[in-house]
Amino acid sequence: MGDLKKQTDAKIEAGRKAKPEFMKGVDEVIAKAKAFKEGENALKVGDKAPDFTLPNAKGASISLNKLLNKGPVVVTFYRGDWCLYCNLQLRALQAKLNQIHELGANLVAISPQVPDGSLTESEISKMEFIVLSDQNAKVASEYGVAWEVPEFLMEHMRVDRGLDLEAINNGNSNILPIPGTFILGQDGVVKWNYVNVDYRTRSEPDEIIDALKRLS
């Protein structure tokens, strides 16, 4: 079992003890999403990835094509800096960033959060990889990982978490990315991916490192 899975499993178990009814509801929502094959339209290995140009936390535009000119790109979609599981994943990726760079790749993390002061000051923006804002989850949709979040989870975020996603995402509050990760070769073709509609489950950084090694 990887280190990230141990951390996310521990958080899930703590949630089951603290809020068993809520976590049971999440399980049911995820089961329905899988039954409806949410995430199955995500880009597959061998697909050409759409180009994008998105702003970073300071508003500067970053182009995928320009990054691909430098080497492979690891693109990971996350829900926002308010997501506990996303923070665990991105910290784990930050810990492996030197290895990712040594293999000639760049890491890009994308969420719908508006690039305002709150994102600039977030823990994620202070990490050393590229953080971009995909308002209205447009790029997430092109990559097949945009998901209309069920009201059960939206109510939890509004009431239990006190999150105003309409403000955080500048308008679109109920479309979030399915956490997914894609490794793109310099030709822009997907060489490896991991997509799971269960937002509590993420790819292990070591799996990404192994895939990059196979590329090099």
Side-chain angles (χ1 to χ4, degrees):
M1 183 186 294
D3 289 341
L4 180 56
K5 181 165 174 50
K6 289 177 184 175
Q7 294 177 59
T8 52
D9 281 356
K11 190 162 289 297
I12 291 168
E13 185 59 30
R16 293 197 192 286
K17 290 178 180 177
K19 293 187 175 181
E21 287 302 314
F22 169 70
M23 291 299 277
K24 181 182 177 183
V26 172
D27 291 339
E28 291 172 353
V29 165
I30 297 302
K32 288 178 182 177
K34 289 182 176 180
F36 282 103
K37 299 184 178 182
E38 295 286 354
E40 289 204 359
N41 291 327
L43 294 183
K44 306 290 191 298
V45 171
D47 288 345
K48 180 79 171 180
D51 184 30
F52 57 75
T53 300
L54 293 172
N56 64 13
K58 297 182 179 178
S61 293
I62 305 294
S63 160
L64 173 62
N65 274 342
K66 287 186 178 179
L67 292 174
L68 288 172
N69 287 336
K70 302 174 185 177
V73 177
V74 181
V75 178
T76 191
F77 291 88
Y78 71 103
R79 303 196 303 159
D81 65 1
W82 47 267
C83 171
L84 303 178
Y85 298 96
C86 298
N87 278 278
L88 286 175
Q89 178 197 19
L90 294 177
R91 286 188 205 117
L93 287 170
Q94 171 68 34
K96 299 285 185 178
L97 191 59
N98 285 343
Q99 288 177 258
I100 292 172
H101 287 166
E102 286 168 5
L103 291 164
N106 271 301
L107 172 62
V108 177
I110 301 175
S111 85
Q113 278 188 261
V114 63
D116 63 1
S118 62
L119 181 56
T120 303
E121 293 303 315
S122 78
E123 176 190 359
I124 289 171
S125 76
K126 292 177 173 60
M127 295 181 186
E128 297 169 323
F129 46 80
I130 300 165
V131 179
L132 301 179
S133 174
D134 176 28
Q135 289 183 59
N136 296 317
K138 181 176 180 293
V139 173
S141 180
E142 292 174 349
Y143 278 61
V145 292
W147 185 40
E148 185 173 351
V149 181
E151 179 57 29
F152 169 78
L153 289 176
M154 293 301 301
E155 182 181 11
H156 163 70
M157 288 185 273
R158 282 193 307 268
V159 177
D160 299 334
R161 298 285 309 278
L163 293 168
D164 183 354
L165 288 182
E166 189 167 349
I168 291 171
N169 296 345
N170 193 32
N172 196 334
S173 62
N174 68 333
I175 304 294
L176 292 175
I178 296 169
T181 301
F182 303 85
I183 294 179
L184 311 181
Q186 279 198 271
D187 55 2
V189 172
V190 178
K191 309 298 184 182
W192 179 92
N193 73 345
Y194 178 92
V195 177
N196 192 329
V197 72
D198 188 344
Y199 63 86
R200 303 166 296 184
T201 304
R202 308 299 172 98
S203 56
E204 284 289 341
D206 283 340
E207 295 173 336
I208 295 168
I209 298 296
D210 289 344
L212 287 171
K213 286 179 178 176
R214 290 194 296 271
L215 263 185
S216 62

Coordinates of all heavy atoms in Angstrom, one line a residue, residues 40-96:
E40 N -15.9 7.8 -17.3 CA -15.5 6.9 -18.4 C -15.3 7.6 -19.7 O -14.7 7.0 -20.6 CB -16.5 5.8 -18.5 CG -16.6 4.8 -17.3 CD -17.1 3.4 -17.7 OE1 -17.5 3.2 -18.9 OE2 -17.1 2.6 -16.8
N41 N -15.6 8.9 -19.8 CA -15.3 9.6 -21.0 C -14.0 10.4 -20.9 O -13.7 11.2 -21.8 CB -16.5 10.6 -21.3 CG -17.7 9.9 -21.7 OD1 -17.7 8.9 -22.4 ND2 -18.9 10.5 -21.4
A42 N -13.3 10.1 -19.8 CA -12.0 10.8 -19.6 C -11.0 10.4 -20.7 O -11.2 9.3 -21.3 CB -11.4 10.5 -18.3
L43 N -10.1 11.2 -21.1 CA -9.1 10.9 -22.1 C -8.4 9.6 -21.7 O -8.1 9.3 -20.5 CB -8.0 12.0 -22.1 CG -8.4 13.4 -22.6 CD1 -7.2 14.3 -22.7 CD2 -9.1 13.3 -24.0
K44 N -8.2 8.7 -22.7 CA -7.5 7.4 -22.5 C -6.1 7.5 -23.0 O -5.7 8.4 -23.8 CB -8.3 6.4 -23.3 CG -9.8 6.3 -23.1 CD -10.1 5.7 -21.7 CE -11.6 5.4 -21.5 NZ -12.5 6.5 -21.6
V45 N -5.3 6.5 -22.6 CA -4.0 6.4 -23.2 C -4.0 6.3 -24.7 O -4.8 5.5 -25.2 CB -3.3 5.1 -22.5 CG1 -1.9 4.9 -23.2 CG2 -3.1 5.3 -21.0
G46 N -3.2 7.1 -25.3 CA -3.2 7.2 -26.8 C -4.0 8.3 -27.4 O -3.9 8.7 -28.5
D47 N -4.9 9.0 -26.5 CA -5.6 10.1 -27.0 C -4.7 11.4 -27.0 O -3.8 11.5 -26.2 CB -6.8 10.4 -26.1 CG -7.9 9.4 -26.2 OD1 -7.9 8.6 -27.2 OD2 -8.8 9.4 -25.3
K48 N -5.0 12.3 -28.0 CA -4.4 13.6 -28.0 C -5.0 14.5 -27.0 O -6.2 14.7 -27.0 CB -4.5 14.1 -29.4 CG -3.8 15.5 -29.6 CD -2.3 15.3 -29.8 CE -1.7 16.7 -30.2 NZ -0.2 16.6 -30.3
A49 N -4.2 15.1 -26.1 CA -4.8 16.0 -25.1 C -5.0 17.4 -25.7 O -4.2 17.9 -26.4 CB -3.8 16.1 -23.9
P50 N -6.2 18.0 -25.4 CA -6.4 19.3 -25.9 C -5.5 20.3 -25.3 O -5.1 20.2 -24.1 CB -7.9 19.6 -25.4 CG -8.5 18.3 -25.1 CD -7.3 17.4 -24.7
D51 N -5.0 21.2 -26.1 CA -4.2 22.3 -25.6 C -5.0 23.2 -24.7 O -6.3 23.3 -24.8 CB -3.6 23.1 -26.7 CG -2.6 24.2 -26.3 OD1 -2.0 24.0 -25.2 OD2 -2.5 25.2 -26.9
F52 N -4.4 24.0 -23.8 CA -5.1 25.0 -23.0 C -4.1 26.1 -22.6 O -2.9 25.9 -22.6 CB -5.7 24.3 -21.7 CG -4.7 23.6 -20.8 CD1 -3.8 24.3 -20.0 CD2 -4.7 22.2 -20.8 CE1 -3.0 23.7 -19.2 CE2 -3.8 21.6 -19.9 CZ -2.9 22.3 -19.1
T53 N -4.7 27.2 -22.3 CA -4.0 28.3 -21.8 C -4.8 28.8 -20.6 O -6.0 29.3 -20.8 CB -3.8 29.5 -22.8 OG1 -3.0 29.0 -23.9 CG2 -3.0 30.6 -22.2
L54 N -4.3 28.8 -19.4 CA -5.0 29.1 -18.2 C -4.2 30.0 -17.3 O -2.9 30.0 -17.3 CB -5.3 27.8 -17.4 CG -6.3 26.9 -18.0 CD1 -6.4 25.6 -17.2 CD2 -7.7 27.5 -18.1
P55 N -4.8 30.8 -16.4 CA -4.1 31.7 -15.5 C -3.6 31.0 -14.3 O -4.2 30.1 -13.8 CB -5.1 32.8 -15.2 CG -6.4 32.1 -15.2 CD -6.3 31.1 -16.4
N56 N -2.4 31.4 -13.8 CA -1.9 30.9 -12.5 C -2.5 31.8 -11.4 O -3.3 32.7 -11.7 CB -0.4 30.8 -12.5 CG 0.3 32.1 -12.6 OD1 -0.3 33.2 -12.5 ND2 1.6 32.1 -12.9
A57 N -2.0 31.6 -10.2 CA -2.6 32.3 -9.0 C -2.4 33.8 -9.1 O -3.1 34.6 -8.5 CB -2.0 31.7 -7.8
K58 N -1.4 34.2 -9.9 CA -1.1 35.6 -10.0 C -1.7 36.2 -11.3 O -1.5 37.4 -11.6 CB 0.4 35.8 -10.0 CG 1.0 35.5 -8.7 CD 2.5 35.7 -8.6 CE 3.1 35.3 -7.3 NZ 4.6 35.6 -7.2
G59 N -2.4 35.4 -12.1 CA -3.1 35.9 -13.3 C -2.3 35.7 -14.5 O -2.8 36.1 -15.6
A60 N -1.1 35.2 -14.5 CA -0.2 35.1 -15.7 C -0.7 33.8 -16.5 O -1.0 32.8 -15.9 CB 1.2 34.9 -15.3
S61 N -0.8 33.9 -17.8 CA -1.3 32.9 -18.6 C -0.2 31.8 -18.8 O 1.0 32.1 -19.2 CB -1.7 33.4 -20.0 OG -2.9 34.2 -19.8
I62 N -0.6 30.5 -18.7 CA 0.4 29.4 -18.9 C -0.2 28.5 -20.0 O -1.4 28.1 -19.9 CB 0.5 28.6 -17.6 CG1 1.0 29.5 -16.4 CG2 1.5 27.4 -17.8 CD1 2.4 30.1 -16.6
S63 N 0.6 28.2 -21.0 CA 0.2 27.4 -22.1 C 0.7 26.0 -22.0 O 1.9 25.8 -21.7 CB 0.7 28.0 -23.4 OG 0.7 27.1 -24.5
L64 N -0.2 25.0 -22.2 CA 0.3 23.6 -22.2 C 1.3 23.4 -23.3 O 2.3 22.7 -23.1 CB -0.9 22.7 -22.4 CG -0.6 21.2 -22.6 CD1 0.1 20.6 -21.4 CD2 -1.8 20.4 -22.9
N65 N 1.1 23.9 -24.5 CA 2.0 23.6 -25.6 C 3.4 24.1 -25.3 O 4.4 23.4 -25.7 CB 1.5 24.3 -26.9 CG 0.5 23.4 -27.7 OD1 0.4 22.2 -27.5 ND2 -0.3 24.0 -28.6
K66 N 3.5 25.3 -24.6 CA 4.8 25.8 -24.3 C 5.5 24.9 -23.3 O 6.7 24.6 -23.3 CB 4.7 27.2 -23.8 CG 4.4 28.2 -24.9 CD 4.5 29.6 -24.4 CE 4.2 30.6 -25.5 NZ 4.2 32.0 -25.0
L67 N 4.7 24.3 -22.3 CA 5.3 23.4 -21.4 C 5.7 22.1 -22.0 O 6.8 21.6 -21.7 CB 4.2 23.1 -20.3 CG 3.9 24.2 -19.3 CD1 2.7 23.8 -18.4 CD2 5.1 24.7 -18.5
L68 N 5.0 21.6 -23.0 CA 5.3 20.4 -23.7 C 6.6 20.6 -24.5 O 7.3 19.6 -24.8 CB 4.2 20.0 -24.6 CG 2.9 19.4 -23.9 CD1 1.8 19.2 -24.9 CD2 3.3 18.1 -23.2
N69 N 6.9 21.8 -24.9 CA 8.2 22.1 -25.6 C 9.4 21.7 -24.8 O 10.5 21.5 -25.3 CB 8.3 23.5 -26.1 CG 7.3 23.8 -27.3 OD1 7.0 22.9 -28.0 ND2 6.9 25.1 -27.4
K70 N 9.2 21.8 -23.4 CA 10.3 21.5 -22.5 C 10.4 20.0 -22.1 O 11.4 19.6 -21.6 CB 10.0 22.4 -21.2 CG 10.0 23.9 -21.5 CD 9.6 24.6 -20.2 CE 9.4 26.1 -20.5 NZ 9.0 26.8 -19.2
G71 N 9.3 19.3 -22.3 CA 9.3 17.9 -21.9 C 7.9 17.4 -21.6 O 6.9 18.1 -21.8
P72 N 7.8 16.2 -21.0 CA 6.5 15.6 -20.6 C 5.8 16.5 -19.6 O 6.5 17.2 -18.8 CB 6.8 14.3 -20.1 CG 8.1 13.9 -20.6 CD 8.9 15.2 -20.8
V73 N 4.5 16.4 -19.5 CA 3.7 17.2 -18.5 C 2.8 16.3 -17.8 O 2.1 15.5 -18.4 CB 2.9 18.4 -19.2 CG1 2.1 19.1 -18.1 CG2 3.9 19.3 -19.9
V74 N 2.8 16.4 -16.5 CA 1.9 15.7 -15.6 C 0.7 16.7 -15.3 O 1.0 17.7 -14.6 CB 2.5 15.2 -14.3 CG1 1.5 14.4 -13.4 CG2 3.7 14.3 -14.6
V75 N -0.5 16.4 -15.7 CA -1.6 17.3 -15.5 C -2.5 16.6 -14.5 O -3.0 15.5 -14.7 CB -2.4 17.5 -16.8 CG1 -3.6 18.4 -16.5 CG2 -1.5 18.2 -17.8
T76 N -2.8 17.2 -13.3 CA -3.7 16.6 -12.3 C -4.8 17.6 -12.0 O -4.5 18.8 -11.8 CB -2.9 16.2 -11.0 OG1 -3.8 15.5 -10.2 CG2 -2.4 17.4 -10.3
F77 N -6.0 17.2 -12.1 CA -7.2 18.0 -11.7 C -7.5 17.8 -10.3 O -7.6 16.6 -9.8 CB -8.3 17.6 -12.6 CG -8.1 18.0 -14.1 CD1 -7.5 17.2 -15.0 CD2 -8.6 19.3 -14.5 CE1 -7.3 17.5 -16.3 CE2 -8.4 19.6 -15.9 CZ -7.7 18.7 -16.8
Y78 N -7.8 18.8 -9.5 CA -8.2 18.7 -8.1 C -9.4 19.7 -7.9 O -9.6 20.6 -8.6 CB -7.0 19.0 -7.2 CG -6.6 20.4 -7.1 CD1 -6.9 21.3 -6.0 CD2 -5.7 21.0 -8.1 CE1 -6.5 22.6 -5.9 CE2 -5.3 22.3 -8.0 CZ -5.7 23.1 -6.9 OH -5.2 24.4 -6.9
R79 N -10.1 19.4 -6.8 CA -11.4 20.1 -6.6 C -11.1 21.5 -6.1 O -11.9 22.4 -6.4 CB -12.2 19.3 -5.6 CG -12.5 17.9 -6.1 CD -13.6 17.2 -5.4 NE -13.4 17.2 -3.9 CZ -14.4 17.0 -3.0 NH1 -15.6 16.9 -3.4 NH2 -14.1 17.0 -1.8
G80 N -10.1 21.8 -5.3 CA -9.9 23.1 -4.7 C -9.0 23.0 -3.4 O -8.9 21.9 -2.9
D81 N -8.5 24.1 -3.0 CA -7.6 24.0 -1.8 C -8.4 23.7 -0.5 O -7.8 23.5 0.5 CB -6.8 25.3 -1.7 CG -7.6 26.5 -1.4 OD1 -8.8 26.5 -1.3 OD2 -7.0 27.6 -1.3
W82 N -9.7 23.8 -0.6 CA -10.6 23.4 0.5 C -10.8 21.9 0.7 O -11.3 21.5 1.7 CB -12.0 24.1 0.3 CG -12.5 23.9 -1.0 CD1 -12.4 24.7 -2.1 CD2 -13.3 22.7 -1.5 NE1 -13.0 24.1 -3.2 CE2 -13.6 22.9 -2.9 CE3 -13.8 21.6 -0.9 CZ2 -14.3 22.0 -3.6 CZ3 -14.5 20.6 -1.6 CH2 -14.7 20.9 -3.0
C83 N -10.4 21.1 -0.3 CA -10.6 19.7 -0.3 C -9.4 19.0 0.5 O -8.3 19.1 0.0 CB -10.7 19.2 -1.7 SG -10.7 17.4 -1.8
L84 N -9.8 18.3 1.6 CA -8.7 17.7 2.4 C -8.0 16.6 1.6 O -6.8 16.5 1.8 CB -9.4 17.1 3.6 CG -10.2 18.1 4.5 CD1 -10.9 17.3 5.7 CD2 -9.3 19.2 5.0
Y85 N -8.7 15.8 0.8 CA -8.0 14.8 0.1 C -7.1 15.4 -1.0 O -6.0 14.8 -1.3 CB -9.1 13.9 -0.6 CG -9.9 13.2 0.5 CD1 -11.2 13.7 0.8 CD2 -9.5 12.0 1.1 CE1 -12.0 13.0 1.8 CE2 -10.3 11.3 2.0 CZ -11.5 11.9 2.4 OH -12.3 11.3 3.3
C86 N -7.5 16.5 -1.6 CA -6.7 17.1 -2.6 C -5.4 17.6 -2.0 O -4.3 17.5 -2.5 CB -7.4 18.3 -3.2 SG -8.9 17.9 -4.1
N87 N -5.5 18.2 -0.8 CA -4.3 18.7 -0.1 C -3.3 17.5 0.2 O -2.1 17.7 0.0 CB -4.7 19.4 1.2 CG -5.1 20.9 0.9 OD1 -4.3 21.7 0.8 ND2 -6.4 21.1 0.8
L88 N -3.9 16.4 0.6 CA -3.0 15.2 0.9 C -2.3 14.8 -0.4 O -1.1 14.6 -0.4 CB -3.8 14.1 1.4 CG -4.3 14.1 2.9 CD1 -5.2 12.9 3.2 CD2 -3.2 14.2 3.8
Q89 N -3.0 14.8 -1.5 CA -2.5 14.4 -2.8 C -1.4 15.3 -3.2 O -0.3 14.9 -3.6 CB -3.5 14.3 -3.8 CG -3.0 13.9 -5.2 CD -3.9 14.2 -6.3 OE1 -4.9 15.0 -6.2 NE2 -3.7 13.5 -7.5
L90 N -1.7 16.6 -3.1 CA -0.7 17.6 -3.7 C 0.5 17.7 -2.8 O 1.6 18.0 -3.3 CB -1.4 18.9 -3.9 CG -2.5 18.9 -4.9 CD1 -3.2 20.2 -5.0 CD2 -2.0 18.5 -6.3
R91 N 0.4 17.5 -1.5 CA 1.6 17.5 -0.6 C 2.4 16.3 -1.0 O 3.7 16.4 -1.0 CB 1.2 17.4 0.8 CG 0.6 18.7 1.4 CD 0.4 18.5 2.9 NE -0.6 19.5 3.4 CZ -1.7 19.1 4.0 NH1 -2.0 17.8 4.2 NH2 -2.6 20.0 4.4
A92 N 1.8 15.2 -1.3 CA 2.5 14.0 -1.7 C 3.2 14.2 -3.0 O 4.4 13.7 -3.2 CB 1.6 12.8 -1.7
L93 N 2.6 14.9 -3.9 CA 3.3 15.2 -5.2 C 4.4 16.2 -5.0 O 5.5 16.0 -5.7 CB 2.2 15.7 -6.2 CG 1.3 14.7 -6.8 CD1 0.1 15.4 -7.5 CD2 2.0 13.7 -7.7
Q94 N 4.2 17.1 -4.2 CA 5.3 18.1 -3.9 C 6.5 17.4 -3.3 O 7.6 17.7 -3.7 CB 4.8 19.1 -2.8 CG 5.9 20.1 -2.3 CD 6.4 21.0 -3.3 OE1 5.7 21.5 -4.2 NE2 7.7 21.3 -3.2
A95 N 6.3 16.4 -2.5 CA 7.4 15.6 -1.9 C 8.2 14.8 -3.0 O 9.4 14.5 -2.8 CB 6.9 14.6 -0.9
K96 N 7.6 14.6 -4.2 CA 8.2 13.8 -5.3 C 8.6 14.7 -6.4 O 9.0 14.3 -7.5 CB 7.2 12.7 -5.8 CG 6.8 11.7 -4.8 CD 8.0 10.7 -4.5 CE 7.5 9.6 -3.6 NZ 8.6 8.6 -3.3

